[in-house]
Amino acid sequence: MGYLVDFQIYQGADPQRNEKYKNAFEKCAAPLIQMIDPLPEKNKHTDYRFYFDNLFTSQSLWIYLKQRGFGAIGNIRENRLPKECHLISSNTMSKMNKRGDFDYKSRKESGIIVARWLDNSTVTIASTSHGISPVSTIARYSRQEKKRILVPRPSVIGEYNENMGGTD
């Protein structure tokens, strides 16, 4: 279940835009920060989580939200991965691995985990609130076997798929 806290219908020439946020978090995430900043400090360290598509996802946004006490999870573009995050590349994973295989890296300092999972294509998710365990299974249709098969799926992928919805 989600709650609407604030919204912006159009983000074009917004007279209230915050250039500081734009520089720190990029143009897409800046309005989000501007909307959540007024949330009271008493909401810190609650069970609030933000789910994002790859347009918003960046390391600086994750760190900021974690410092504010919010969880964050979202798919992340290859070019936005931290330089020190050495996951198996999407191309290598697609060619060399089987469906359900995954790779992940986590950093204690930032509290961010990044996981890459092979389904029909590779999926890369970053999170401050979910981890790999428990690894569950999910039924997927196999064109090769012409039937549904069970493939492993890290918890972080399942949480994202279950909760991502509504608006971006």
Side-chain angles (χ1 to χ4, degrees), residues 16-163:
Q16 297 175 350
R17 75 177 166 259
N18 186 314
E19 290 298 320
K20 180 179 116 190
Y21 290 157
K22 181 181 163 196
N23 293 333
F25 303 107
E26 300 180 22
K27 187 176 184 178
C28 295
L32 167 75
I33 300 300
Q34 197 166 336
M35 285 187 262
I36 67 167
D37 257 359
L39 290 175
E41 282 297 309
K42 70 179 183 180
N43 292 352
K44 248 183 148 174
H45 305 294
T46 60
D47 206 17
Y48 291 165
R49 293 188 192 115
F50 294 96
Y51 294 82
F52 300 100
D53 69 5
N54 64 28
L55 183 65
F56 298 93
T57 307
S58 71
Q59 185 176 6
S60 60
L61 177 61
W62 261 222
I63 291 169
Y64 178 79
L65 291 173
K66 179 99 174 153
Q67 289 170 344
R68 286 283 316 267
F70 299 113
I73 182 170
N75 56 355
I76 187 167
R77 296 176 182 182
E78 190 97 21
N79 65 347
R80 290 192 180 170
L81 287 172
K83 288 182 175 84
E84 63 277 358
C85 185
H86 301 290
L87 291 172
I88 297 171
S89 76
S90 293
N91 289 338
T92 301
M93 186 167 260
S94 295
K95 293 175 186 170
M96 308 292 280
N97 294 56
K98 66 183 189 326
R99 196 173 193 180
D101 285 350
F102 61 91
D103 186 23
Y104 73 97
K105 301 289 183 235
S106 63
R107 298 202 57 200
K108 265 188 183 167
E109 312 85 62
S110 64
I112 299 172
I113 184 168
V114 179
R116 180 164 286 148
W117 178 61
L118 182 60
D119 192 18
N120 283 330
S121 61
T122 57
V123 178
T124 307
I125 299 284
S127 177
T128 63
S129 56
H130 301 290
I132 297 300
S133 297
V135 175
S136 61
T137 57
I138 187 164
R140 293 290 199 236
Y141 184 78
S142 169
R143 285 178 274 197
Q144 294 169 332
E145 298 180 38
K146 297 189 183 353
K147 66 178 184 176
R148 292 181 75 74
I149 60 170
L150 293 177
V151 297
R153 180 180 69 176
S155 177
V156 67
I157 304 291
E159 288 290 335
Y160 178 77
N161 289 341
E162 184 178 315
N163 292 293

